[in-house]
Amino acid sequence: MAKKTYVAAIKDALAEEMRRDSTVFLMGEDVRLGVFAGTRGLHAEFGDARVIDTPISELGVAGAGVGAAVTGLRPIVDLMFGTFLYLALDQIVQQAASARYMFGGQAKAPIVYMVQNGGGISAGAHHSQAVHPIFMNVPLLKVVMPSNAADAKGLLKAAIRDDNPVIFLSPLSLTGSRADIPDGDHFVPLGKGEIKRNGRDVTICAAGAMVQKSLLAAEILAKDGIEVEVIDPRTLKPWDEEMVLESVARTGRFVAVDESKPICGAASEWAATVSEKAFSFLKAAPQRVSGKDVASPFSPILESAVIPSVDEVVAAVKRVM
Amino acid sequence: MEKILDIYTRMLRIRRFEEQVGVLFSQGQLPGFVHLYVGEEAVGAGVCATLRNDDYIVSTHRGHGHVIAKGGDFNRMMAELFGKATGYCKGKGGSMHIADFSIGMLGACGIVGGGIPMAVGAGLSAKLRGTDQVSVSFFGDGASNEGSFHESVNLAAVQNLPVLFVCENNQYGEFTPMEKVTGVRDIALRAQGYGIPGVIVDGTDALAVYEVAQTAVARARAGEGPTLIEAKTHRKGGHAEGEKAFLAGGVYRSAEELAQMQAKDPIVLLHKRMLEMGVATPNDLEELDQTITQAVVESVAFARRSPDPKPESIYEDMWV
Ligand SMILES: Cc1ncc(C[n+]2csc(CCOP(=O)(O)OP(=O)(O)O)c2C)c(N)n1
Ligand SMILES: [Mg+2]
């Protein structure tokens, strides 16, 4: 075990996978110096051919990645901010995600798109959006969003080894966070959630930066005698619905906490699944805590009013009690 | 003569404002991050000095200079950078999203290349409404590798729109030197591919910028179509403030390059030229500097004493 920052964990995962498999390569804007530093230093070890600084051309780079993937390589494309995925959307949805199915199984596109997701650092509207639901709505894309440095390392390794296109979303506000990282080839399988806190009264499902907030809420609620179970699905698609349904079968109460917007957000999907498949266990209507349905304002006061707060999670849990 | 003083004033307003922003940022007084326009003042000032109040500009992530060059208000800008309710965008925009529609400043833009199509649209609008307004798109060398640039130039060309594409070529996109990621040394060459004039100008020479912009604006107003202007310039500071700590010893520009650049400070150059030409006395320019510096100081006081936005205001300015 060693305590490391989120970006150090990302770097370790990239370096280990690049050492393990010579078909893995990295490209993106400033990956050599590393804007979020997760890629910094890799060029010294892997050189120009495997650590490629690209022009600012998201659509072209995202699509070139697909071309490399269907011809035998395993590209990792670093597009920096989640919102820059919008520029690349056509190639990700129409080529990366579609290639295998549309061409009747002839191809596979093992590619990872890495970005920082969500808000919380006053980066303004264009840089502070939780974009994951957009990708959850795309068939045959995997969507991963870790909540801490250790999971990030293990999930990134799994994403790189996966034969499908994966969107890997690092919560922007966790870039500097630290966690104990297990030694060795720490691997977290895609599609497996984790119970981050056990509790008998209420089940919370939360991902990314919302996991920590939910754990803080659980601590506050424990003082009132309410024991909250906090589940982090870690992979948003395909997601570990069994883990959540099993928990709800025990608790009978459900709260979904997600930074994205309420309409068709991740919380909507979780709450809908629980309502549909665990209805008979429910003692109260499932509740959602989502980002407010407005753009991300710059002012820290306004931005924190838009992103779900610990207080809002506490209030939602009290509503289902 | 008056025009030269006007251009110099715009440049110095930008410089003093940006220097203050840099200090405030380093003291941790500003949320978010800021990209300063220091070193590139001659481009925004030279171009905007050819424009009317009702002409349009669309800016970039490095946008403070464009707002000031078009006649923006220090107080409302500074308040926005502090995230205050009195800011241009009521604290909702921040450094990368300042706009002043009353002076045709249609907004800065956090997305590289994201503003270029809008500038074309404003030009299209002027043409369809039958006015003689022109529209200017400012963007960087890095942005010229985005699809939005290529699509926009072609669209403006085939529609013969009153648009100036002004590429501020500071030779870097973040920390990546242009030649590593761009197939041509001169962005102006790309104009050929779309059948419009492409002009290269020394972006540290404000009067030269003014001249080429004047020609392009005259063409645009006369209905003769768009021009691509490439202003070769440099940013004196980092890509974003706080870059040094962030790079943690990482270097991407040589000391030699930095020294060369310092010798081509557009404000020092124009200052010298104005004295030589007898446009102003050293005393005049010193007084001008003091007036501007005072206005910057006042804008900080204004921002500080301004109220924070109310949390409920997240639900304001939604649907029309
Ligand atoms: C679509 C998009 N991609 C990447 C970024 C990150 N980014 C911000 S500024 C910048 C460099 C832009 O270079 P250039 O256009 O030359 O402008 P300069 O910063 O040099 O003024 C990059 C890559 C962004 N904001 N938007
Ligand atoms: Mg540049």
Side-chain angles (χ1 to χ4, degrees):
Chain A
M1 286 284 209
K3 224 178 183 57
K4 290 200 172 178
T5 62
Y6 193 102
V7 285
I10 293 285
K11 184 183 165 186
D12 287 350
L14 292 170
E16 289 170 23
E17 291 307 302
M18 289 177 79
R19 270 174 220 138
R20 194 187 55 79
D21 180 349
S22 64
T23 66
V24 177
F25 73 101
L26 176 69
M27 62 179 169
E29 292 143 26
D30 269 322
V31 287
R32 198 164 161 167
L33 262 165
V35 169
F36 289 100
T39 60
R40 186 177 298 166
L42 294 172
H43 180 267
E45 179 173 351
F46 300 103
D48 282 344
R50 293 180 71 198
V51 179
I52 303 172
D53 273 344
T54 67
I56 312 173
S57 310
E58 288 78 8
L59 182 71
V61 174
V66 184
V70 298
T71 53
L73 300 182
R74 305 184 86 85
I76 303 163
V77 177
D78 179 7
L79 289 177
M80 225 184 282
F81 279 86
T83 50
F84 304 167
L85 289 168
Y86 299 158
L87 288 94
L89 208 53
D90 171 70
Q91 292 295 314
I92 295 172
V93 177
Q94 307 287 37
Q95 308 298 343
S98 305
R100 181 164 185 80
Y101 189 83
M102 188 171 71
F103 296 135
Q106 296 181 72
K108 60 175 186 176
I111 181 167
V112 179
Y113 296 101
M114 279 200 325
V115 291
Q116 309 289 315
N117 191 46
I121 63 164
S122 279
H126 285 177
H127 289 75
S128 313
Q129 302 172 29
V131 304
H132 48 279
I134 292 173
F135 297 94
M136 290 166 67
N137 207 252
V138 176
L140 303 174
L141 267 185
K142 293 193 177 182
V143 183
V144 178
M145 186 158 73
S147 65
N148 63 75
D151 284 351
K153 180 176 178 187
L155 288 164
L156 183 53
K157 288 171 79 95
I160 295 168
R161 290 184 213 175
D162 200 281
D163 275 342
N164 300 284
V166 181
I167 308 285
F168 190 90
L169 304 140
S170 292
L172 182 58
S173 57
L174 298 185
T175 309
S177 68
R178 287 169 180 276
D180 283 322
I181 318 275
D183 296 326
D185 188 23
H186 175 54
F187 186 89
V188 175
L190 301 190
K192 284 300 300 166
E194 188 172 66
I195 298 176
K196 300 287 184 187
R197 178 188 174 111
N198 292 101
R200 59 170 190 274
D201 298 324
V202 184
T203 303
I204 287 182
C205 184
M210 296 302 112
V211 172
Q212 191 55 32
K213 288 194 178 181
S214 299
L215 290 170
L216 288 172
E219 257 169 54
I220 292 168
L221 288 156
K223 289 183 193 133
D224 290 344
I226 301 172
E227 289 303 331
V228 179
E229 182 143 298
V230 178
I231 296 179
D232 174 4
R234 303 192 289 196
T235 304
L236 301 174
K237 185 175 184 172
W239 73 292
D240 197 345
E241 60 176 63
E242 273 116 76
M243 180 175 277
V244 170
L245 293 172
E246 185 279 324
S247 172
V248 173
R250 282 186 280 111
T251 62
R253 296 183 166 90
F254 184 65
V255 174
V257 183
D258 186 49
E259 188 178 337
S260 69
K261 304 306 175 189
I263 313 260
C264 301
S268 310
E269 180 58 28
W270 302 333
T273 302
V274 166
S275 301
E276 204 171 66
K277 299 187 178 170
F279 190 73
S280 59
F281 297 103
L282 288 173
K283 299 170 194 156
Q287 296 292 304
R288 286 179 293 166
V289 181
S290 305
K292 311 298 180 297
D293 203 7
V294 294
S296 301
F298 164 74
S299 140
I301 292 169
L302 299 183
E303 190 180 24
S304 59
V306 166
I307 297 173
S309 66
V310 174
D311 287 349
E312 286 172 297
V313 179
V314 169
V317 168
K318 290 192 170 162
R319 286 201 299 276
V320 299
M321 289 310 294
Chain B
M1 289 292 201
E2 233 167 71
K3 204 70 204 182
I4 300 177
L5 191 60
D6 171 28
I7 294 169
Y8 182 78
T9 305
R10 291 176 204 242
M11 288 168 67
L12 200 60
R13 278 173 60 81
I14 298 170
R15 175 68 57 93
R16 295 295 176 249
F17 185 87
E18 292 291 62
E19 285 170 345
Q20 178 68 76
V21 171
V23 170
L24 291 167
F25 186 88
S26 69
Q27 295 168 343
Q29 297 201 45
L30 302 178
F33 36 97
V34 292
H35 309 84
L36 301 187
Y37 197 61
V38 175
E40 307 187 21
E41 296 92 342
V43 187
V47 170
C48 289
T50 68
L51 300 179
R52 298 194 312 236
N53 192 59
D54 68 341
D55 288 327
Y56 301 115
I57 67 168
V58 180
S59 173
T60 67
H61 57 286
R62 200 176 297 291
H64 307 167
H66 303 136
V67 184
I68 296 169
K70 193 69 169 58
D73 176 58
F74 277 177
N75 286 2
R76 296 185 67 196
M77 285 183 74
M78 196 60 91
E80 189 61 33
L81 298 182
F82 274 83
K84 294 299 185 83
T86 54
Y88 263 125
C89 312
K90 306 175 189 168
K92 285 179 176 160
S95 168
M96 283 190 281
H97 303 289
I98 296 180
D100 183 351
F101 279 67
S102 72
I103 55 169
M105 199 289 162
L106 307 184
C109 182
I111 297 301
V112 169
I116 308 175
M118 256 186 76
V120 172
L124 177 64
S125 158
K127 180 181 156 185
L128 296 182
R129 287 181 288 112
T131 75
D132 68 344
Q133 291 161 289
V134 306
S135 176
V136 178
S137 168
F138 291 103
F139 57 94
D141 47 293
S144 79
N145 290 324
E146 287 282 14
S148 65
F149 164 77
H150 296 270
E151 297 180 22
S152 298
V153 176
N154 188 51
L155 178 58
V158 297
Q159 286 287 325
N160 209 39
L161 300 179
V163 179
L164 271 66
F165 295 96
V166 179
C167 179
E168 305 181 306
N169 183 354
N170 59 15
Q171 292 139 78
Y172 287 87
E174 290 180 355
F175 320 120
T176 302
M178 175 192 158
E179 63 268 17
K180 258 186 82 176
V181 288
T182 309
V184 287
R185 285 309 276 269
D186 301 316
I187 305 295
L189 277 176
R190 292 182 161 171
Q192 269 184 31
Y194 301 103
I196 68 166
V199 192
I200 297 173
V201 65
D202 177 352
T204 64
D205 181 344
L207 304 186
V209 172
Y210 177 73
E211 234 166 77
V212 299
Q214 236 183 353
T215 308
V217 167
R219 255 179 62 83
R221 280 206 212 288
E224 290 163 20
T227 305
L228 170 60
I229 296 171
E230 176 186 11
K232 306 265 193 196
T233 179
H234 45 246
R235 56 168 155 82
K236 286 186 82 168
H239 166 66
E241 289 309 281
E243 166 182 298
K244 253 206 183 112
F246 172 77
L247 287 173
V251 176
Y252 64 98
R253 295 194 287 194
S254 69
E256 190 190 355
E257 196 178 337
L258 289 167
Q260 265 175 11
M261 190 174 85
Q262 294 299 343
K264 288 214 74 184
D265 185 311
I267 292 182
V268 175
L269 292 174
L270 188 58
H271 185 276
K272 187 160 163 258
R273 205 131 144 230
M274 286 168 74
L275 296 182
E276 283 163 8
M277 291 167 77
V279 174
T281 66
N283 210 26
D284 295 340
L285 297 183
E286 182 52 39
E287 266 173 31
L288 176 67
D289 200 344
Q290 279 174 15
T291 310
I292 291 173
T293 304
Q294 189 52 37
V296 172
V297 170
E298 275 163 22
S299 75
V300 177
F302 172 82
R304 288 215 175 99
R305 70 172 179 265
S306 290
D308 284 322
K310 296 210 163 55
E312 311 86 80
S313 74
I314 63 169
Y315 291 122
E316 289 166 10
D317 300 311
M318 293 177 59
W319 308 107
V320 178

